[in-house]
Amino acid sequence: MRILVVEDDANLNRQIKDALTEAGYAVDVAFDGEEGHFLGDTEPYDAIILDIGLPQMDGLSVLEEWRRAGRTTPVLLLTARDRWSDKVQGIDAGADDYVAKPFHMEEVLARVRALVRRAAGHASNEIVAGAVRLDARSGKVTVDGQSVKLTSHELRLLSYLMHHKGKVISRTELTEHLYDQDFDRDSNTIEVFVGRLRKKLPDDCIQTVRGLGYQIAED
């Protein structure tokens, strides 16, 4: 899953990015509203963390522009604790959730997981496909109850496919959502990771749809 963080406080921006990266997300960052607006308008993120008090273009204006343009990416707003009006305006502008500063990083991670999960149509952190079970909170994968050890890239790939099970996902889409903006993207590496995953999962788990991409079938 690929996340955009738009926060002008460099220290807080870094802390959020580090926490998301450690949790297994690919993360891009922006430090002002104009840059954040551009990235959110042109890149396919799974969720966006957006501060309201941004230089050059405030967060609410950024959010309103995205929604007017038809961008439906889930957005988590960062608000000041004593500004209840920011929360109301943010929700009315199209935010999906908010968290007040100062916050515990675990709360931000939990809210991001919930946004990604709901956007994909899942009610629980636990996603099941046949014998394969993924706990999105812990990143643990089991097959028939037995733990399976995956690398970070293998886990990102499996997580994206399981969040969108039943849908055929192209190599291009996988590449766009698994790597951050600065990564040297090569869609051929997706084939390598799919091959590695298939050795660790049941034979029929990841299906190739010729000419289109990969899918994990609905139960």
Side-chain angles (χ1 to χ4, degrees):
M1 300 296 175
R2 188 176 171 202
I3 310 295
L4 172 64
V5 177
V6 190
E7 165 60 60
D8 62 314
D9 183 314
N11 187 49
L12 182 57
N13 191 311
R14 178 187 54 77
Q15 290 175 10
I16 297 173
K17 179 182 179 180
D18 288 349
L20 288 167
T21 301
E22 187 175 342
Y25 297 98
V27 185
D28 292 333
V29 299
F31 296 91
D32 63 68
E34 287 187 358
E35 182 185 13
H37 174 265
F38 174 78
L39 288 173
D41 200 42
T42 57
E43 296 288 332
Y45 295 103
D46 296 289
I48 297 173
I49 298 175
L50 177 67
D51 184 35
I52 286 183
L54 294 169
Q56 299 187 29
M57 186 177 185
D58 69 86
L60 289 179
S61 297
V62 171
L63 178 57
E64 288 170 347
E65 287 290 327
W66 284 336
R67 295 309 189 227
R68 270 197 293 267
R71 306 293 180 228
T72 59
T73 307
V75 172
L76 173 66
L77 278 184
L78 303 182
T79 72
R81 181 176 295 280
D82 58 348
R83 293 292 299 273
W84 64 266
S85 58
D86 285 350
K87 302 170 186 176
V88 173
Q89 289 179 304
I91 297 298
D92 285 343
D96 298 271
D97 199 357
Y98 65 84
V99 62
K101 300 178 182 178
F103 50 75
H104 291 286
M105 204 60 70
E106 281 300 323
E107 180 182 2
V108 172
L109 293 175
R111 292 183 182 278
V112 168
R113 285 194 299 269
L115 290 182
V116 171
R117 186 177 70 236
R118 290 198 299 265
H122 299 287
S124 169
N125 273 319
E126 197 169 74
I127 304 173
V128 179
V132 182
R133 192 175 298 266
L134 166 69
D135 185 330
R137 182 181 61 82
S138 66
K140 292 182 179 179
V141 176
T142 60
V143 175
D144 288 327
Q146 300 299 309
S147 180
V148 177
K149 187 175 182 180
L150 301 179
T151 66
S152 61
H153 282 93
E154 290 168 355
L155 179 58
R156 284 184 190 177
L157 175 56
L158 179 63
S159 178
Y160 193 83
L161 289 173
M162 290 192 69
H163 272 85
H164 299 87
K165 65 179 182 177
K167 177 184 176 184
V168 179
I169 308 295
S170 68
R171 287 191 301 175
T172 299
E173 181 176 344
L174 285 169
T175 302
E176 289 176 339
H177 285 266
L178 298 184
Y179 303 119
D180 60 46
Q181 193 179 33
D182 297 330
F183 194 88
D184 184 15
R185 303 176 188 176
D186 180 0
S187 62
N188 290 325
T189 61
I190 297 297
E191 293 184 9
V192 174
F193 291 127
V194 168
R196 291 179 182 175
L197 276 174
R198 282 175 167 158
K199 293 178 181 178
K200 301 178 180 182
L201 303 175
D203 292 340
D204 60 347
C205 181
I206 301 177
Q207 303 170 357
T208 299
V209 180
R210 189 174 297 278
L212 295 176
Y214 305 100
Q215 78 170 150
I216 290 180
E218 293 275 13
D219 295 336

